[in-house]
Amino acid sequence: MSGATAVGSGGGGASQGAHSLAFRVMRLCRPSLHVETPLLFHPEDLLLGEDLLYDLPTASDAAADAAEVSFKSRFLLSDPISAAGLSGLLVLPQSFGAIYLGETFCSYISINNSSSFEVRDIVIKAEIQTERQRVMLLDTSKSPVETIRAGGRYDFIVEHDVKELGAHTLVCTALYSDGEGDRKYLPQFFKFIVANPLSVRTKVRVVKDLTFLEACIENHTKSNLFMDQVEFQPAQHWSATLLTADMHPTQKKNISNTEYKQPVLIKSGGGIYNFLYQLKLSTQESTQLKVEGSNILGKLQITWRTNLGEPGRLQTQQILGSPVARKEIDLQVVKIPQAIILHKPFEVQLCLTNQTDRTLGPFEIWFSGDANGERAFMVNGLQTMTLPEIQAFSPIDLKMNLIAMKLGVQKITGITVFDSVEKKTYEPLPDLEIFVDVE
């Protein structure tokens, strides 16, 4: 293995004498940019002083060629990009480095024969061990490596999708026959820690029939993360829309038909970015969902890349919203006239829905008016309406005829539902504000 690579030497197990074989492990990952301090000097400055190479400046030197290299000019940046210190070189990793959840751990493993004789019938195994599971990455039991010559090696690559936090151990073992024909067993262990690359904090707000989910993603790594995808996958019966700020008109003109989706940059060392989603419950399933009381909204699917394109992928746990109320019945206003005239009858269309899995009713509905005794509206007709039984998860429509008694903004309040069988009074219809005008 090259000295410039990140090579790990693991600990061994119980000794069976000197081993002919040894494992060497290098993590395969993208290289990093080589950054050097932009301090420029001439190689001759290390051996000779300036006075031996250049004459001291005189007044006549003012008209000298400005392009001539001098001791002083070598400290000046000839190009602005030189200030970045990027030499154009890439550096291979010098150690295992930081390994994060959601990445793919890829390792180049070499088993070396350091003895002076050939080893035969090598059974090689490599596996990842965590607190919860053991994952086999390589097993040559069915087709052992025939021989490894003296001074030779056998190389292979293993990959593992990192899905757990905490301590991981790469276990490499070899069962082989040495030069004397004895079977020997070589175990070696390479330990590393898996950290969390980012944290996701969520807030849920409910506004009438809409639910808003805010997701704050924070970068805990030492590298910038470029978010290729932050997608919210809604649970059954929910739909989701990502809300974004309106673009400036000049930006809209630059978008072509094949729009390139610019990745979202979250800077290293605690950078954050917020995403806002609007969630809506489908009307067909809202009734049954309220009965079941489910408050699962969905989960986030996040994919990203680092500065040099190292990919990563995470999926959050199910995000929970506010608990859904378990109401047996639901009384809603379906339609009301646009213009309501003082002292003239108008019709309010209502819908009463049974949100249980059993039949309810019959019901009585009446209009009690304001609790203070001030009546802004009066019933035009029967004071109490009777409704038949309502089947499970079924609605029934009804109409109530009212007369406005006061001008201006008034509240329709006190429409109450009573179960004649169970002798139960349900919560009245929420107050409904309307405007009463003169003819």
Side-chain angles (χ1 to χ4, degrees), residues 331 348-352 365 385 387 396-400:
L331 183 62
V348 179
Q349 295 185 15
L350 304 171
C351 179
L352 181 64
I365 298 182
M385 300 176 59
L387 297 178
I396 186 171
D397 296 327
L398 62 141
K399 298 177 181 180
M400 181 172 285

Side-chain angles (χ1 to χ4, degrees), residues 128-147:
I128 289 285
Q129 295 182 1
T130 67
E131 294 181 356
R132 298 182 180 180
Q133 63 177 346
R134 302 172 65 174
V135 180
M136 185 63 67
L137 306 179
L138 176 74
D139 187 355
T140 65
S141 299
K142 296 182 179 180
S143 56
V145 179
E146 293 183 2
T147 61

Side-chain angles (χ1 to χ4, degrees), residues 39-50 53 71 74:
L39 179 61
L40 308 180
F41 66 94
H42 196 280
E44 295 177 353
D45 295 334
L46 300 176
L47 303 175
L48 302 174
E50 177 191 10
L53 298 176
F71 182 83
R74 287 199 296 275

Side-chain angles (χ1 to χ4, degrees), residues 308-346:
L308 290 171
E310 195 79 27
R313 176 181 176 272
L314 279 181
Q315 188 178 75
T316 66
Q317 296 180 343
Q318 295 287 0
I319 299 173
L320 304 180
S322 303
V324 179
R326 296 171 179 255
K327 296 173 61 177
E328 291 187 350
I329 65 169
D330 182 41
L331 183 62
Q332 296 288 339
V333 176
V334 177
K335 186 178 180 182
I336 195 168
Q338 293 183 350
I340 297 176
I341 308 301
L342 183 67
H343 297 155
K344 283 196 173 183
F346 66 95

Side-chain angles (χ1 to χ4, degrees), residues 354-417:
N354 178 1
Q355 298 187 148
T356 69
D357 55 357
R358 67 183 192 278
T359 301
L360 295 179
F363 297 97
E364 293 180 0
I365 298 182
W366 64 78
F367 178 72
S368 59
D370 194 343
N372 298 327
E374 298 181 3
R375 288 181 174 266
F377 300 92
M378 295 186 66
V379 178
N380 181 29
L382 296 175
Q383 299 297 312
T384 301
M385 300 176 59
T386 302
L387 297 178
E389 293 182 344
I390 305 178
Q391 300 299 319
F393 303 118
S394 299
I396 186 171
D397 296 327
L398 62 141
K399 298 177 181 180
M400 181 172 285
N401 208 296
L402 302 177
I403 299 177
M405 306 301 295
K406 292 184 178 181
L407 289 173
V409 178
Q410 304 296 334
K411 290 183 179 180
I412 298 179
T413 182
I415 299 180
T416 307
V417 180

